[in-house]
Amino acid sequence: MLCAVYKSVKKDGAYLYVQKRDDFSSVPAALLQSFGTPQLVTLINLASREHLANADIDKVKQQLAEQGFYLQFPPPVEDLLAQHKRQP
């Protein structure tokens, strides 16, 4: 399963996976508007990979098959001050 990965120009760390390069027909218009103009990062063959750096590969495959796209956000930033305050 090949897919194209695009980065967002508006949301740092956000990536959009689509089944075909430059085919955003399955992506809702509101999502594309908030994502900004997608910039191609890479093409990935998901069939030959066991994992992805920051996404669950099974979830990516499932959402690509079901809805035609997968949106990846960066992990939330840890609030180290709040963690420190909670410690006894």
Side-chain angles (χ1 to χ4, degrees):
M1 169 187 273
L2 282 176
C3 72
V5 182
Y6 296 83
K7 70 178 182 176
S8 173
V9 294
K10 290 186 175 182
K11 302 206 181 270
D12 191 36
Y15 292 89
L16 182 63
Y17 295 65
V18 293
Q19 292 178 328
K20 295 180 184 172
R21 183 177 181 168
D22 298 332
D23 180 6
F24 304 103
S25 59
S26 60
V27 182
L31 173 59
L32 274 179
Q33 183 178 6
S34 66
F35 191 80
T37 304
Q39 294 184 333
L40 181 66
V41 175
T42 190
L43 299 173
I44 298 177
N45 184 354
L46 296 176
S48 66
R49 299 189 74 133
E50 292 182 18
H51 64 279
L52 296 169
N54 292 320
D56 179 341
I57 193 165
D58 293 325
K59 188 172 182 180
V60 172
K61 288 178 180 179
Q62 177 187 6
Q63 288 197 6
L64 281 171
E66 290 177 3
Q67 62 188 22
F69 71 95
Y70 173 78
L71 182 61
Q72 174 186 322
F73 284 108
V77 178
E78 292 182 56
D79 186 350
L80 298 177
L81 179 60
Q83 286 179 2
H84 177 71
K85 288 180 178 179
R86 285 192 299 262
Q87 293 178 349

